[in-house]
Amino acid sequence: MSEQKLEQISLSEPKIDELYRPEVNTDGIDEKKLMRRIDLHVIPWLAILYFLNFMDRGNIGNAKLYGMTTNIDHPISDTQYLIALTVYFFPYALLEPASNVILRRLKPSLWLSSLILCWGVVMVCHGFIQSYGGLVTVRVLLGVTEAGMYPGIVFYISSWYKRSEMGTKIAFFFSSATLSGAFSGLLSVAIHNMNGVGGLAGWRWIFILEGLLTVVVALLSFWMIQDYPEAAKFLTEEERVFVIRRLKDDVRLSAAGEQFKKKYVWQSLRDWKTWVAMGIYMGFDGPLYAFSLFLPTIINKLGFTATKANLLTIPPYAWGCITTVLVGILGDRIGTRYYMSLFLFATGAMGYIILIASRDPALSYFAVFLAASAIYPSVRDAWVAGNVEGAYKRSVTLGMAIGWGNINGAVTSNIYRSTESPWYTMGHGIVLAYIGIGLICVTIMRIGLQRENAHRNRGERDEVIDGIDNKNADVRNGRYPDIETARLEKGDDWSGFRYLL
């Protein structure tokens, strides 16, 4: 679609002045009470959705322990199983940026609910595969249908909250991923008891029942998911205006009725932060998928039966949930993201160094806890989203960063080979390398943001604003009729924007 057509369509979006509504009096609104009500309407349902998203994505590891690759008409080899895990990530990663742009243009209740419904159907289909070809097909389709969920939720949250609040909000929704890992192991053990019911193996029922649950939740989501602040039905007119003004005061354009322009996409592509953020997500997401897909197998190979291995995945995931919430709250309170990220990467590195060196099952199991506490806390989401301004630019940046991070799951889904069982030295070593990449990239991000803030504090990025006498202003930084236009046109490149460190 051409830029002209897109901009014509965007005329239907509300104008900024219409949203800010200077004539509306919001003095009587209790901010804390309103934000608590927003929390209850927005965060819990997102947590449920991501719980199902992560559970449906990773339950293949639980099903494999119960004979998924052998108890079928055409058994699947170890290499074929790894390929099937790999193909999921290509459509999943490649479609994320486009999905975020669509999400911004459509109602979240429509787009996200439709994605959930489609992947629920695909998950049910997992329960009827009979060959390698069937497994590859459903994994590709699952990647297509799940692609927009995680970056969409992160972007959607950024459309409701100030930058200083996002760490806690994202942590609460992302903690459901760790709960899903714990619950998936427990649920798989319970569902496997249905082995033989309806003439189907227990591992098939794992996919069928969890997929049907997702379908039911998807249908409810059409009513449960709230849209953006400017159209949220549970808010009064005054409350909608209050939220939008609140975001504007935080230099946040998410709910400001920003019209689509192709230049916003190019702003993201030309921004160095986008490419460094991709490295940060690579350092988190590579280990994340290796951990979630292979934790049951790793524990199983340490000498535990399939059922015990699935049950022993629960405590590490529960610990990961606790640390995710704590890190999110702490990150918002201390106001810095870099040191939290540095600490998490260091903890993860320690865990995988122990896994590489250890030949004791108990010590290796302890290292799994260190890995979980480092991999799952989501401080990088709040950091990246909080430092990119403009709704469309942020949607593209998050889509690219998260998409690149996720495509590295295609690599880490192949690193745990059965020939290296039970200690998987090479696999753990590759994950450790990913953590090193993440550590380097968060340091580059910190240095770059700090230097840019210093330039702006010295006035070196000041634009020429008509009617304002500013000795630091330089036409090379742009010329605008007023400050508001400069802010809207430049986003986080605006001289008045300060990056969070």
Side-chain angles (χ1 to χ4, degrees):
M1 186 179 292
S2 68
E3 180 180 2
Q4 181 180 5
K5 290 182 178 179
L6 284 171
E7 293 184 0
Q8 288 173 348
I9 293 174
S10 70
L11 293 176
S12 62
E13 296 183 2
K15 299 295 187 295
I16 292 170
D17 289 340
E18 295 174 358
L19 293 174
Y20 291 157
R21 301 288 301 278
E23 76 280 4
V24 176
N25 186 352
T26 62
D27 293 341
I29 293 178
D30 186 327
E31 182 177 10
K32 290 185 178 180
K33 184 177 179 180
L34 173 61
M35 295 313 297
R36 283 197 297 268
R37 186 149 59 90
I38 289 175
D39 289 343
L40 291 175
H41 278 85
V42 173
I43 302 300
W45 196 254
L46 294 181
I48 291 173
L49 299 183
Y50 197 61
F51 175 93
L52 295 174
N53 180 260
F54 211 83
M55 184 173 69
D56 289 347
R57 183 190 317 168
N59 59 12
I60 189 171
N62 303 108
K64 181 176 183 291
L65 293 183
Y66 287 125
M68 183 194 73
T69 57
T70 56
N71 187 18
I72 56 177
D73 291 347
H74 304 283
I76 298 171
S77 68
D78 180 61
T79 299
Q80 290 175 327
Y81 174 73
L82 293 177
I83 293 174
L85 293 184
T86 302
V87 296
Y88 162 88
F89 292 98
F90 294 109
Y92 183 81
L94 294 174
L95 294 175
E96 284 182 324
S99 178
N100 255 16
V101 173
I102 295 172
L103 173 65
R104 176 57 197 165
R105 299 193 59 76
L106 296 180
K107 293 181 179 180
S109 57
L110 175 62
W111 180 244
L112 295 180
S113 300
S114 299
L115 291 178
I116 300 162
L117 180 62
C118 291
W119 101 54
V121 172
V122 172
M123 182 51 52
V124 172
C125 293
H126 276 61
F128 298 97
I129 64 166
Q130 294 291 350
S131 65
Y132 167 63
L135 180 60
V136 168
T137 300
V138 293
R139 295 308 288 183
V140 169
L141 291 175
L142 188 65
V144 171
T145 53
E146 285 194 345
M149 183 54 57
Y150 180 69
I153 289 178
V154 173
F155 170 69
Y156 176 64
I157 288 177
S158 75
S159 300
W160 280 92
Y161 295 100
K162 296 194 297 185
R163 294 184 293 167
S164 60
E165 300 167 336
M166 283 188 58
T168 302
K169 309 308 176 185
I170 292 177
F172 274 111
F173 111 77
F174 193 76
S175 64
S176 63
T178 56
L179 289 177
S180 74
F183 188 74
S184 181
L186 185 62
L187 189 61
S188 297
V189 171
I191 294 177
H192 184 255
N193 292 325
M194 295 180 63
N195 188 42
V197 174
L200 299 177
W203 67 266
R204 294 186 185 276
W205 283 112
I206 292 174
F207 291 123
I208 294 170
L209 293 183
E210 293 183 8
L212 290 175
L213 175 62
T214 300
V215 169
V216 172
V217 171
L219 295 175
L220 294 174
S221 292
F222 285 100
W223 290 271
M224 293 298 295
I225 294 178
Q226 302 299 321
D227 293 319
Y228 296 113
E230 63 262 33
K233 296 179 181 179
F234 73 96
L235 297 177
T236 65
E237 180 184 21
E238 291 78 11
E239 289 170 339
R240 285 194 288 269
V241 172
F242 181 87
V243 172
I244 292 167
R245 292 176 182 174
R246 186 175 183 269
L247 292 173
K248 180 186 176 183
D249 291 341
D250 190 49
V251 200
R252 173 122 292 187
L253 309 181
S254 304
E258 181 183 68
Q259 298 181 16
F260 179 85
K261 296 179 182 178
K262 189 186 294 184
K263 74 173 185 178
Y264 296 137
V265 177
W266 287 110
Q267 281 178 354
S268 176
L269 295 176
R270 291 194 298 264
D271 193 339
W272 66 270
K273 299 192 303 296
T274 300
W275 304 98
V276 177
M278 291 167 67
I280 294 174
Y281 274 85
M282 179 181 178
F284 271 103
D285 286 341
L288 173 67
Y289 287 110
F291 188 88
S292 62
L293 290 172
F294 289 97
L295 182 60
T297 299
I298 292 170
I299 295 177
N300 175 233
K301 296 303 181 181
L302 291 176
F304 300 97
T305 64
T307 296
K308 286 184 178 180
N310 274 328
L311 291 175
L312 285 172
T313 63
I314 297 174
Y317 279 122
W319 174 243
C321 176
I322 294 171
T323 56
T324 295
V325 174
L326 291 177
V327 167
I329 295 174
L330 185 61
D332 281 348
R333 288 191 176 180
I334 66 178
T336 181
R337 309 295 182 187
Y338 168 67
Y339 292 113
M340 298 299 297
S341 296
L342 194 66
F343 173 77
L344 294 175
F345 278 123
T347 303
M350 185 185 305
Y352 278 96
I353 288 172
I354 294 174
L355 283 170
I356 291 171
S358 171
R359 292 298 178 266
D360 177 68
L363 181 59
S364 296
Y365 189 58
F366 166 75
V368 166
F369 282 81
L370 291 179
S373 64
I375 289 172
Y376 282 97
S378 52
V379 68
R380 86 280 193 184
D381 296 312
W383 199 21
V384 173
N387 281 321
V388 180
E389 191 49 88
Y392 284 106
K393 180 182 178 182
R394 188 183 310 117
S395 69
V396 174
T397 297
L398 284 172
M400 288 184 61
I402 296 173
W404 175 249
N406 285 330
I407 205 169
N408 281 275
V411 176
T412 56
S413 63
N414 283 279
I415 62 178
Y416 287 103
R417 301 278 180 166
S418 60
T419 54
E420 295 198 346
S421 167
W423 304 113
Y424 298 105
T425 301
M426 183 188 76
H428 296 324
I430 293 175
V431 172
L432 182 60
Y434 268 92
I435 291 174
I437 292 171
L439 193 151
I440 292 170
C441 287
V442 294
T443 302
I444 293 173
M445 180 71 84
R446 162 76 183 203
I447 294 172
L449 296 180
Q450 192 171 33
R451 292 182 62 184
E452 184 58 31
N453 279 347
H455 285 305
R456 296 180 185 191
N457 291 337
R458 292 192 296 265
E460 297 171 9
R461 300 290 190 260
D462 287 1
E463 304 85 4
V464 174
I465 306 297
D466 293 345
I468 296 179
D469 184 18
N470 180 358
K471 65 179 182 179
N472 293 320
D474 190 332
V475 71
R476 288 176 297 181
N477 297 326
R479 181 166 191 158
Y480 302 92
D482 51 59
I483 293 176
E484 185 66 16
T485 301
R487 188 176 77 90
L488 294 174
E489 288 294 314
K490 298 190 70 175
D492 57 89
D493 288 330
W494 174 53
S495 61
F497 188 92
R498 293 298 181 272
Y499 293 111
L500 298 173
L501 303 179

